[in-house]
Amino acid sequence: YGAWLHGEAVSIGTIMAATMSAKMGWIDQPMVQRIYDIHVAANCPTDLPVDSPMNKEIFLKAMSVDKKVANGQLRLILLKGALGECVFTGDFDEDAMVETIDEFVAECNGAQ
């Protein structure tokens, strides 16, 4: 994670998971805002820093070797339903995932 603590990376990943889940229609936008607000109130990061070297390719490569990959298939923890309900699944919209990654890395130096 570089200079980031594991929990800080998890915080941003949670916001990304909420964003992606909403793109797939699994939760609504008010739920995404509620999750975002909880993280802000807890003083947890919600965005990648501008000086991050991350871009979509680096992000996807890192995800491909994540501990949640099984038999070559990426599985994600996504939100579905009420706050606190989630699914651990490999059945997700890859376009929604890539769109979410693009949004989160757009301002990073690595994406420029």
Side-chain angles (χ1 to χ4, degrees), residues 27-58:
I27 62 173
D28 59 18
Q29 196 56 43
M31 179 67 71
V32 176
Q33 188 63 50
R34 181 173 179 201
I35 293 164
Y36 179 86
D37 291 344
I38 289 168
H39 281 76
V40 169
N43 200 30
C44 294
T46 56
D47 295 300
L48 291 165
V50 174
D51 64 350
S52 171
M54 292 299 282
N55 60 41
K56 178 173 59 180
E57 290 73 26
I58 294 171

Side-chain angles (χ1 to χ4, degrees), residues 9-31:
V10 168
S11 177
I12 294 170
T14 301
I15 300 298
M16 292 179 76
T19 301
M20 181 177 163
S21 297
K23 288 181 185 303
M24 296 190 310
W26 290 3
I27 62 173
D28 59 18
Q29 196 56 43
M31 179 67 71

Side-chain angles (χ1 to χ4, degrees), residues 70-91:
N71 298 322
Q73 181 181 22
L74 176 63
R75 297 172 299 164
L76 300 174
I77 301 168
L78 299 169
L79 291 84
K80 195 170 191 178
L83 184 63
E85 294 183 19
C86 64
V87 292
F88 183 51
T89 183
D91 185 22

